[in-house]
Amino acid sequence: GASVISQSDVVWGDANWAVDGTGAMPIGSGDVTASVWVDRDTGELAILTGKSDSFDENAQPVKVGLVRVAFSPPLWNSSFGGTFEQRLNLAEASVEISTTTLSVRIFADALSDAVRVSAIGVDNTTFAVHSRVVPYRRSQPTALGRNLCFPRFETPDVVVGSDRPAALAGAVVWYHENPKNASYVRDTMGNQGVDLDQSGLKDPVAGLVFG
């Protein structure tokens, strides 16, 4: 049962190793995934999200984006004097972070294709939260070694500013849109002498939007 599974929970007592995601804890629903860690330098909660149908213009499965959530008081800092525990709860498929002042839980909601974060102040401690997205893709050539036989180019993500719809006021919004007429699939088929437009075949990644 759950009590047996919980014996194998991964528990860390500090964030000294976590700065670039190499020590992230994984969660997911089978469709939505996330790598979760607390940045040792900033104390921010970092959530690198992914989804099973997110493919870029190079037909590569990619992460959706990196969201950073800052708490005040922070989850961690270099002169941290309180308690800290980060637990990968295997029975509940969640990451739980407990400090002297905060209790935070991160999990992938299978019913709504979302990664959710809940936070409670210990002993009614008040706290502030600020979230931001870190652009994950920028205008740059892709690195070889990702099953690509020749250099490719990856278009940047778009972070939506203040001109967003009223329904999204206060939200952190970003997206990536694959070009409609420039994809790895089209170029690969063209190298084989197949014109997608004339063949009637559909390019599965052209124009795909995720975020």
Side-chain angles (χ1 to χ4, degrees):
S3 60
V4 176
I5 297 175
S6 296
Q7 295 176 15
S8 299
D9 284 359
V10 180
V11 181
W12 293 321
D14 61 63
N16 284 324
W17 41 263
V19 65
D20 59 359
T22 54
M25 290 182 171
I27 55 174
S29 65
D31 182 22
V32 175
T33 64
S35 299
V36 181
W37 71 96
V38 175
D39 192 298
R40 74 177 185 197
D41 293 334
T42 65
E44 294 176 318
L45 173 65
I47 306 171
L48 181 58
T49 61
K51 199 169 184 299
S52 62
D53 57 358
S54 296
F55 289 82
D56 67 7
E57 55 267 44
N58 300 304
Q60 299 293 296
V62 294
K63 297 295 185 180
V64 175
L66 174 62
V67 176
R68 286 181 168 269
V69 183
F71 293 87
S72 181
L75 295 175
W76 176 266
N77 60 50
S78 58
S79 58
F80 199 73
T83 60
F84 176 94
E85 178 184 280
Q86 180 173 324
R87 176 184 294 270
L88 178 60
N89 188 323
L90 298 176
E92 297 185 5
S94 64
V95 173
E96 299 169 351
I97 302 167
S98 302
T99 72
T100 305
T101 55
L102 291 169
S103 178
V104 183
R105 181 171 181 262
I106 308 98
F107 64 98
D109 187 344
L111 299 179
S112 62
D113 289 340
V115 175
R116 301 196 181 277
V117 179
S118 64
I120 301 175
V122 177
D123 296 330
N124 295 320
T125 299
T126 59
F127 60 92
V129 181
H130 173 74
S131 59
R132 62 188 175 94
V133 63
V134 179
Y136 194 64
R137 278 159 290 272
R138 298 175 174 86
S139 296
Q140 59 186 4
T142 57
L144 295 179
R146 294 173 54 196
N147 300 320
L148 303 176
C149 299
F150 47 88
R152 297 288 302 176
F153 193 82
E154 191 169 60
T155 55
D157 292 342
V158 176
V159 178
V160 180
S162 57
D163 56 343
R164 69 193 65 182
L168 297 176
V172 178
V173 183
W174 79 99
Y175 66 90
H176 180 85
E177 181 176 5
N178 295 340
K180 292 182 172 59
N181 296 311
S183 78
Y184 188 75
V185 174
R186 176 177 291 274
D187 291 348
T188 300
M189 296 297 286
N191 290 337
Q192 303 301 317
V194 178
D195 188 307
L196 283 182
D197 296 326
Q198 294 182 3
S199 67
L201 297 175
K202 182 180 180 180
D203 185 339
V205 301
L208 182 67
V209 179
F210 55 87

